[in-house]
């Protein structure tokens, strides 16, 4: 049986050659009865017409049972047919188990039938490794083992004893009289935990994954929630993933094999909260590099794979209600909105006024000033429970050996949140560190999301398949933020307000193809082409600040004519990305060669405009609320408005990546597999800063690189269930557009400026990986990994000004990161049969990193010359205890996640580094099948009510509690 890997971005396929005699003849063979304790194996007749029905290729490829009628004619009766559970039965198992293989090639036979023909009416199909388990009560049985166009075998006198597992391995010989070839495509359901573990066992690289089956057991509602369950993965700000403690440019995200741009101007990562878990088939983290992946590789590559069409018609509606202990039914800040915004579309009323000039600065016309809306204050509203709605529909239509599959999914979500946060600023005016500018911030927000997925695939024949895929997702965040505190430098109290609305949008479209060339040793061609568009719109963010002199006993707050007060900010970002990739795989007898190329181009445009209200010196009551102070009557008389847009508040950027690779998969001896290759990647990164009014450059940055990236992975199979892995690679990480742009962004919450640095260098990385993994059972694994990374010119976020706290980016000279990962998943039936419904999983990551500074300027500026890399947690722990009782349809999961303290910002000029403290999260999920295709799921998150804390030298600079969250979801399968 020949096994061939699937095209990139698709499920793997298995292509056994099945032949059917033109005139089948069945010759009965009388069984030879052995001694009772020893079963006898006899060759049976070819059984082409009876024992080995030809499978439906379409059904197998869609994941259905390819043996719709496993009972040979004349042997009727009810039987229980199932897939095998694992290679090794659990303790206390009573029955028969073993492996079915080809007698000549020793290849395992997938979905061979092991059938009880006397003593019971029961059968089982072998799994992807040819293993089977057949649970039977104590007794004596005759078994028949058959496979399409193989000579069946009959085993008689198989004795089963209570509490004992009888091992029975069987080899089948191909039917020499078969003349007609029928090829069956068998596709594993990659949404299942067991299928992902089998794929991981056979993979060329070190990898970890979480399947949609596992995600369904958790309270996670988006990819950002789910990915933190993967070994050594953590999430920052609830949206951005860190792999092995490395995020941003070190954690690249691929959607169905294609690079994704980020809609965030200030973060190099793709925000994973854009992807609802209902769209996901699985999340896979590749941790050792292979040359068919993009060369940007540090902590790992996150592969997001979306759902594909089901094997039969499905209609699945779903409704979810949720809330949390901080916001739900409580008063919170908000701002006026519109019906469009409740559907996740920005209201036209937030745009720049129509009569405002687009190609020049705003003038002194009072009429133009009055065209802006005059809403500045946060409104009080009561939070309602959150709502989620979703529906999916799909099917596979068959036309002989051809099939057409489709899937359509739509999801809508609305969420209200609140946050009470405490802030302070650490300063060192003398030798001692002090906490200053203490403030309390109340933030209320309303978020909406809308997503849709459509996938259509057509299989022309076993050698040609085409898939069209489209994903559309958008979200809005409408926030009202009020802050009250003290400004020690000015010796004044202050009250500030921000009204902010952000709209994000992602459209991703892809066509994929797979072709097998029968004339060239079954060579395979995989290709994909993609186009994506991301947008981020921030229309009319409004900031006001009122202050009071501490020496003034009246306590009267008034509007100061100073920066960051009475300001309006408009910004828009758009990025289009297009490209494709193709590869050719040549399967020779002793080596499998793969060569291909990739081209991906991204075009980004960013533009911002700023406006500020100022006192003119004419009589006006500066203590009036902003809606009265900035009213039409005061504009031009006491209050003036002017444009403060900077000369570098816009930029255009381009990133082109062109790559070619070759890799060889070679087995010099049977247990050893070597996968090595080289990738040559050329990149061109251009950024031109200019004013929003014309494209005359105010700053330029052009960076060209030609990188040669080798990689080698070695896999030694100690047994079919145990692998030893080792790998080395040389990879890179690029600065992002935002980090190169000289644009300054004001962080309202932390009250500081964030700016880019145009002369940042590309980072180079040496990666060494090792792993030992034992696949104990179908859903069970034990693994231990170690890794070492050497960085050249790593990019970090640093504090530029210790007084104001402004931050920027810079290259360190080098860094080292190394660590170990331990993982275990097992059924508790191994402890006692009483615990057969319980499962447990745990993983631990321990990481140590050190930054290397040799530049005297950097050594003098940064506070600590010996410290971990920014964002690197020294440990990550995940625990999972599950209960699954299939008889009642009850499933329970208790989960725990914690990450160690990590540097949020690098301190300079005697200011300590800012650390994010550990966050202990405990979640609970309960699912119950209600019958008629209905299922109820109840979840609760952050049961310990843990707090997010940032600490700087013992001073808490930020603290807030996200609260205890809860949800109830009801779904139907029709």
């Amino acid at each position: 049986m020949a096994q061939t890997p699937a095209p990139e971005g698709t499920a793997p396929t298995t292509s056994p050659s099945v032949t059917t005699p033109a005139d089948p003849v069945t010759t009965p063979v009388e069984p030879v009865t052995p001694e009772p304790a020893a079963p006898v194996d006899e060759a049976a007749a070819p059984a082409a017409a009876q024992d080995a029905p030809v499978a439906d290729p379409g059904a197998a490829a869609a994941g259905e049972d390819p043996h719709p009628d496993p009972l040979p004619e004349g042997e009727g009766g009810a039987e229980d047919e199932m897939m095998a559970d694992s290679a090794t039965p659990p303790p206390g198992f009573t029955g028969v188990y073993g492996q079915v293989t080809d007698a000549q090639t020793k290849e395992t036979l997938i979905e061979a039938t092991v059938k009880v023909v006397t003593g019971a009416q029961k059968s089982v199909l072998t799994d992807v490794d040819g293993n089977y388990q057949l649970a039977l009560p104590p007794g004596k049985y005759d078994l028949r083992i058959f496979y399409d166009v193989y000579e069946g075998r009959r085993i008689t006198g198989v004795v089963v004893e209570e509490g004992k597992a009888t091992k029975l391995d069987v080899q089948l010989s191909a039917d020499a009289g078969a003349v007609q070839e029928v090829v069956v495509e068998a596709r594993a359901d990659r949404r299942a935990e067991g299928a992902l573990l089998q794929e991981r066992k056979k993979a060329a690289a070190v990898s970890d994954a979480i399947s949609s089956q596992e995600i369904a057991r958790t309270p996670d509602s988006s990819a950002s929630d789910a990915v933190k369950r993967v070994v050594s993965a953590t999430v920052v700000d609830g949206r951005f993933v860190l792999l092995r403690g490395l995020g941003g440019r070190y954690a690249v995200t691929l959607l169905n094999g294609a690079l994704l741009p980020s809609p965030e101007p200030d973060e190099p990562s793709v925000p994973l909260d854009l992807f609802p878990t209902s769209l996901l088939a699985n999340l896979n983290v590749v941790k050792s590099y292979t040359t068919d992946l993009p060369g940007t590789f540090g902590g790992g590559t996150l592969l997001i794979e979306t759902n594909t069409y089901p094997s039969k018609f499905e209609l699945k509606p779903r409704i979810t209600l949720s809330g949390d202990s901080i916001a739900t039914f409580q008063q919170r800040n908000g701002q006026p909105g519109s019906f469009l915004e409740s559907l996740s579309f920005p209201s036209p009323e937030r745009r720049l006024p129509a009569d405002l000039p687009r190609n020049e600065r705003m003038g002194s016309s009072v009429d133009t000033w009055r065209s802006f809306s005059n809403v500045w204050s946060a409104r009080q509203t009561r939070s309602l429970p959150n709502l989620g709605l979703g529906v999916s529909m799909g099917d596979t239509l068959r036309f002989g050996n051809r099939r057409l599959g489709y899937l359509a999914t739509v999801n809508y979500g609305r969420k209200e949140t609140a946050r009470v946060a405490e802030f302070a600023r650490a300063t060192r005016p003398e030798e001692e560190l002090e906490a200053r500018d203490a403030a309390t911030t109340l933030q209320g927000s309303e978020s909406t999301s809308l997503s849709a997925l459509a996938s259509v695939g057509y299989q022309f024949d076993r050698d040609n398949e085409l898939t069209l895929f489209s994903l559309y997702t958008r979200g809005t965040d409408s926030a009202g933020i009020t802050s009250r505190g003290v400004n020690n430098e000015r010796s004044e109290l202050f009250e500030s307000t921000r009204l902010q609305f952000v709209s994000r949008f992602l459209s991703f479209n892809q066509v994929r193809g797979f072709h097998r060339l029968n004339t060239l040793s079954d060579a395979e061609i995989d290709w994909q082409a993609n186009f994506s568009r991301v947008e981020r719109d921030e229309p009319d963010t409004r900031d006001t600040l009122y202050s009071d002199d501490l020496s003034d006993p009246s306590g009267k707050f008034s509007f100061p004519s100073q920066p960051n007060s009475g300001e309006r900010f408009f910004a828009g970002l758009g990025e289009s990305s297009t490209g494709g990739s193709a590869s050719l795989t040549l399967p020779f007898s002793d080596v499998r060669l793969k060569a291909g190329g990739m081209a991906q181009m991204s075009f980004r445009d960013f533009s911002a405009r700023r406006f500020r209200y100022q006192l003119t010196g004419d009589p006006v009551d500066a203590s009036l609320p902003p809606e009265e102070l900035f009213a039409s009557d005061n504009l031009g008389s006491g209050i003036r408005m002017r444009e403060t847009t900077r000369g570098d508040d816009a930029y255009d950027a381009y990133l082109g990546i062109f790559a070619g690779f070759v890799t060889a998969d070679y087995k010099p001896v049977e247990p050893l597999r070597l996968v090595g290759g080289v990738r040559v990647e050329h990149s061109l990164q251009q950024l031109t800063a200019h004013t929003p009014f014309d494209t005359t450059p105010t700053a330029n940055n052009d960076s060209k690189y030609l990188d040669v990236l080798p990689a080698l992975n070695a896999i030694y199979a100690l047994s079919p269930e145990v692998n030893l892995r080792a790998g080395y690679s040389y990879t890179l990480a690029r600065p992002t557009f935002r980090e190169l742009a000289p644009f300054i962004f004001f962080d309202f919450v932390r009250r500081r400026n964030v700016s880019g640095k145009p002369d940042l260098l590309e980072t180079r990385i040496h990666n060494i990986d090792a792993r030992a993994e034992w696949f104990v059972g179908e859903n069970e694994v034990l693994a231990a990994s170690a890794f070492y990374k050497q960085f050249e010119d790593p990019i970090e976020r640093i504090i530029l000004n210790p007084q104001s706290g402004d931050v920027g980016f810079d290259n360190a000279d080098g860094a080292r990161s190394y660590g170990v990962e331990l993982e275990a998943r097992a059924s508790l039936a191994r402890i006692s049969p009483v615990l057969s419904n319980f499962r447990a999983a745990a993983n631990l990551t321990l990481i140590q990193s050190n930054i290397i500074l040799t530049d005297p300027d950097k050594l003098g500026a940064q506070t600590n010359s010996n410290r971990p890399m920014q964002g690197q947690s020294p440990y990550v722990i995940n625990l999972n205890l599950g209960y699954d009782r299939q008889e009642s349809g009850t499933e329970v999961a208790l989960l725990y996640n914690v990450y160690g303290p990590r540097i949020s910002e690098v301190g300079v000029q005697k200011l300590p580094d800012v650390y994010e403290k550990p966050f202990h999260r405990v979640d609970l999920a309960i699912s119950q099948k209600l019958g008629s295709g209905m299922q109820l799921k109840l979840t609760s998150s952050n049961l310990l009510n843990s707090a997010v804390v940032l600490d700087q030298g013992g001073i808490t600079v930020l603290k807030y509690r996200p609260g205890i969250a809860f949800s109830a979801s009801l779904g139907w399968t029709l």
Side-chain angles (χ1 to χ4, degrees):
M1 177 175 119
Q3 293 187 355
T4 59
E8 189 174 0
T10 64
T13 60
T14 305
S15 303
S17 295
V18 181
T19 55
T20 305
D23 186 14
V25 178
T26 303
T27 304
V29 177
E30 291 294 327
V32 178
T33 305
E35 293 297 324
V40 171
D41 175 2
E42 290 201 20
Q50 294 181 346
D51 288 345
V54 177
D56 177 359
E64 285 190 327
D65 176 11
H67 301 272
D69 184 11
L71 286 174
E73 196 171 322
E75 291 188 331
E79 66 177 358
D80 179 18
E81 183 176 349
M82 65 193 77
M83 289 299 295
D85 288 332
S86 63
T88 305
F93 175 82
T94 301
V96 183
Y97 78 103
Q99 189 177 61
V100 181
T101 58
D102 184 298
Q104 284 73 41
T105 67
K106 309 305 179 185
E107 289 279 347
T108 58
L109 301 182
I110 300 174
E111 293 189 352
T113 301
V114 181
K115 177 180 174 62
V116 180
V117 293
T118 61
Q121 292 294 322
K122 196 172 186 179
S123 71
V124 70
L125 301 178
T126 59
D127 64 13
V128 294
D129 288 324
N131 299 312
Y132 72 93
Q133 290 181 24
L134 193 59
L136 295 169
K140 184 186 294 185
Y141 302 92
D142 291 351
L143 305 181
R144 178 181 293 167
I145 299 90
F146 54 88
Y147 192 71
D148 297 333
V149 198
Y150 277 72
E151 295 182 354
R153 305 195 74 87
R154 192 180 184 100
I155 314 295
T156 62
V158 179
V159 177
V160 175
E161 298 179 13
E162 179 66 32
K164 294 185 178 180
T166 302
K167 185 173 184 180
L168 185 63
D169 293 335
V170 180
Q171 296 182 353
L172 299 183
S173 298
D175 179 10
V179 294
Q180 179 184 357
E181 183 180 44
V182 178
V183 177
V184 177
E185 298 287 343
R187 176 171 295 164
D189 184 0
R190 302 181 73 198
R191 296 172 299 177
E193 179 181 5
L196 271 189
L197 284 179
Q198 291 296 331
E199 187 175 312
R200 168 176 156 182
K201 179 167 66 174
K202 297 178 182 296
V206 175
S207 63
D208 294 303
I210 181 169
S211 66
S212 64
Q213 182 185 47
E214 298 171 87
I215 294 173
R217 297 170 180 156
T218 71
D220 303 333
S221 60
S222 68
S224 59
D225 295 326
V227 74
K228 64 179 177 288
R229 314 292 180 186
V230 178
V231 183
S232 79
T234 55
V235 175
V236 177
D237 296 334
R239 305 163 67 192
F240 304 107
V241 65
L242 277 72
L243 304 176
R244 287 179 164 172
L246 300 170
R249 70 198 61 77
Y250 302 115
V252 173
T253 300
L254 303 183
L255 179 61
N256 292 337
L259 282 166
L260 268 184
S262 173
E264 295 296 324
D266 302 300
E267 289 290 343
S269 297
V270 175
L272 297 181
D273 59 337
L274 282 173
F275 302 96
T277 53
S278 57
L279 299 182
L280 306 178
N282 57 68
L283 295 171
N284 188 19
V285 176
V286 180
K287 296 182 176 178
S288 66
Y289 181 69
T290 56
T291 56
D292 54 349
L293 293 173
T296 303
F297 186 94
T301 297
L302 174 62
L303 308 179
I304 300 178
E305 296 189 18
T306 54
N307 286 326
T308 56
Y309 37 86
S311 59
K312 58 184 179 181
F313 179 78
E314 286 183 351
L315 178 63
K316 294 183 175 181
R318 187 188 74 257
I319 182 171
T320 302
L321 294 175
S322 62
D324 63 66
S325 60
I326 301 296
T328 307
F329 300 122
Q330 304 296 320
Q331 291 290 323
R332 66 167 178 87
N333 286 333
Q335 61 169 302
S338 68
F339 176 73
L340 273 178
E341 292 172 359
S342 68
L343 297 179
S344 201
F345 293 88
S347 171
E349 298 175 358
R350 295 185 183 271
R351 298 174 183 168
L352 281 167
D355 56 353
L356 187 75
R358 298 303 195 264
N359 57 357
E360 62 181 3
R361 289 181 176 272
M362 182 185 69
S364 58
S365 171
V366 176
D367 290 337
T368 304
W369 302 351
R370 291 171 178 166
S371 63
F372 288 85
S373 67
N374 191 29
V375 178
W376 295 87
S377 300
R379 310 292 174 86
Q380 286 295 300
T381 184
R382 188 174 295 275
S383 296
L384 298 176
N386 307 321
L387 173 67
L389 300 172
V391 63
S392 66
M393 182 177 68
D395 195 5
T396 296
L397 308 176
R398 297 174 178 83
F399 313 94
N401 287 339
R402 302 183 179 186
R403 62 187 176 95
L404 174 68
Y406 69 89
L407 174 69
T409 300
V410 178
N411 294 282
Y412 169 80
R414 179 181 174 277
K415 183 178 182 181
E416 298 186 39
T417 60
R419 176 184 298 177
V420 180
E422 298 175 1
F423 293 92
R425 178 176 295 164
T427 63
R428 195 187 293 274
E430 302 295 337
E431 288 300 317
E432 206 167 305
L433 199 65
E434 294 182 5
R436 310 187 75 180
D437 300 348
T440 299
T441 297
L442 307 179
Q443 177 175 332
S445 63
E446 179 179 338
S447 303
T448 61
S449 62
L450 181 65
S451 61
L453 176 150
S455 178
V456 178
Y458 187 75
Q459 186 176 25
F460 299 88
D461 50 46
R462 80 176 185 96
D463 296 326
N464 297 280
E465 186 171 353
L466 189 67
T467 302
L468 300 175
F469 174 83
S470 183
L471 173 68
Y472 175 92
T473 178
R474 65 178 310 121
T476 61
D477 294 291
S478 177
I481 309 169
T482 58
S483 183
R484 184 181 177 93
V486 59
N487 186 324
N488 294 107
E489 184 177 351
R490 292 176 176 267
S491 298
E492 61 186 20
L493 298 173
F494 72 87
E495 291 180 345
S496 61
T497 301
R498 164 171 280 193
L499 300 184
Q500 183 180 38
F501 180 88
V502 176
S503 171
R504 296 178 295 158
F505 157 79
L506 166 66
S507 174
F508 177 83
N509 304 278
Q510 184 183 53
V511 56
R512 290 178 288 166
F514 168 71
H515 311 280
R516 185 182 289 112
L517 308 178
N518 295 320
T519 58
L520 193 61
S521 302
D522 279 347
E524 297 170 356
I525 296 177
D526 305 310
W527 60 272
Q528 65 89 22
N530 64 83
F531 174 78
S532 61
R533 175 71 179 175
V534 295
E535 294 180 2
R536 184 186 187 274
D537 191 20
E538 185 177 348
D540 205 7
T541 293
R542 284 148 284 170
D543 292 329
T544 58
L545 174 70
Y546 281 65
S547 60
D548 169 39
D549 191 332
L550 288 175
S551 62
D552 186 353
S554 66
K556 190 176 183 180
F557 284 79
S558 60
F559 173 78
S561 192
Q562 67 181 50
N564 305 322
S565 180
E567 290 197 346
R568 313 185 83 116
F569 178 77
F570 295 78
L573 176 147
E575 183 171 337
S576 297
S577 181
T578 185
S581 62
S583 65
L584 172 66
T585 303
L586 298 171
F588 297 110
S589 57
D590 55 350
V591 66
R592 188 178 184 88
L593 291 178
K594 184 177 181 181
M598 181 200 79
Q600 195 77 25
M601 294 163 287
S602 298
F603 305 86
R604 172 179 284 197
D605 57 90
F606 176 85
S607 179
R609 295 186 71 173
R610 309 166 189 261
F611 306 90
R612 182 177 157 202
Y613 293 78
Q614 295 176 313
L615 299 174
T616 65
D618 296 333
V620 67
D621 186 357
S623 65
L624 290 172
E627 283 84 359
E628 297 181 33
L629 183 62
F630 305 146
S632 298
D633 293 343
N634 289 334
L635 294 180
S637 176
I639 296 291
R640 70 180 298 268
M641 185 180 181
R642 70 182 185 94
E643 183 160 0
T644 56
T645 301
R646 293 163 46 94
D648 53 8
D649 269 353
Y651 66 85
D652 299 321
Y654 164 79
L655 174 63
I657 303 174
F658 307 92
F661 73 90
V662 62
T663 185
D665 193 335
Y666 174 56
K667 281 190 174 183
V669 292
E670 179 55 36
L672 179 63
R673 177 185 175 195
L674 300 176
V675 183
V678 64
R679 184 182 187 93
V680 178
E681 194 163 285
H682 169 70
S683 63
L684 173 60
Q685 197 166 15
Q686 298 175 325
L687 188 142
T688 301
H690 55 85
T691 73
F693 314 114
D694 60 59
T695 57
T696 303
T698 58
N700 283 293
N701 177 271
D702 288 354
S703 301
K704 294 182 181 180
Y705 292 96
L706 181 64
D707 297 292
V708 179
L709 310 173
L712 175 64
N713 286 275
I715 305 98
Y716 190 88
L718 290 178
S719 73
E721 292 77 31
V722 180
N723 287 332
L724 298 180
R725 296 179 178 271
Y728 165 79
S729 60
Y730 182 57
T731 58
L732 59 91
R734 298 182 181 89
T736 65
F737 292 139
R738 179 62 190 87
E739 293 166 341
L740 293 171
F743 172 81
I744 291 180
F745 165 73
F746 181 68
D747 183 348
F748 173 84
V749 175
R750 301 287 298 278
R751 305 198 66 77
R752 61 186 183 174
N753 291 317
V754 182
S755 59
K757 183 178 181 180
D759 57 351
L760 287 174
L761 301 176
E762 182 180 80
T763 302
R764 310 294 181 92
I765 312 164
H766 295 274
N767 308 277
I768 299 176
D769 292 271
R771 170 176 285 186
E773 53 190 9
W774 178 19
F775 296 89
V776 185
E778 182 184 7
N779 298 322
E780 299 176 307
V781 65
L782 298 174
S785 308
F787 65 89
Y788 175 85
K789 297 180 183 293
Q790 180 77 43
F791 297 82
E792 303 169 10
D793 300 315
I795 301 170
E796 295 193 302
R797 183 169 57 193
I798 64 172
I799 299 174
L800 297 175
N801 187 325
Q803 302 304 320
S804 64
D806 292 349
V807 298
F809 306 93
D810 201 359
N811 290 103
D813 300 312
R816 290 184 293 266
S817 177
Y818 51 92
V820 297
E821 300 168 340
L822 304 175
E823 179 188 12
R825 299 190 215 175
S827 168
L828 297 189
R830 295 185 174 276
I831 300 175
S832 169
V834 178
L835 302 176
S836 60
N837 292 332
F838 290 87
R839 63 180 181 276
N843 60 70
L844 168 67
T845 304
L846 301 174
I847 303 175
Q848 186 73 31
S849 67
N850 297 98
I851 203 73
I852 300 172
L853 297 175
T854 58
D855 187 326
D857 293 335
K858 294 176 183 177
L859 281 170
Q862 296 194 19
T863 304
N864 297 316
S865 59
N866 184 14
R867 57 170 175 79
M869 295 179 66
Q870 178 201 333
Q872 186 93 70
S873 292
Y875 61 84
V876 181
I877 301 173
N878 278 293
L879 302 176
N880 185 338
L881 177 63
Y883 171 81
D884 186 3
R885 189 172 186 269
Q886 296 184 357
E887 297 84 351
S888 63
T890 305
E891 195 163 3
V892 181
L894 182 64
L895 305 104
Y896 170 75
N897 170 265
V898 65
Y899 53 81
R902 57 196 181 195
I903 293 180
S904 175
E905 295 156 9
V906 176
V908 295
Q909 298 180 10
K910 298 184 180 181
L911 277 182
D913 303 319
V914 179
Y915 273 87
E916 183 178 356
K917 292 289 192 177
F919 185 90
H920 299 267
R921 174 166 171 162
V922 175
D923 301 334
L924 177 67
I926 303 173
S927 298
Q928 177 62 57
K929 293 181 179 179
L930 304 177
S932 301
M934 298 179 66
Q935 184 174 23
L936 176 66
K937 182 178 179 181
L938 305 175
T939 71
S940 184
S941 303
N942 192 26
L943 289 172
L944 300 180
N945 196 22
S946 297
V948 174
V949 179
L950 296 184
D951 181 273
Q952 189 172 16
I955 294 175
T956 299
V957 296
L958 169 64
K959 180 179 181 180
Y960 69 89
R961 294 186 184 275
I964 302 172
F966 45 85
S967 72
S969 177
L970 186 62
W972 297 265
T973 300
L974 305 175

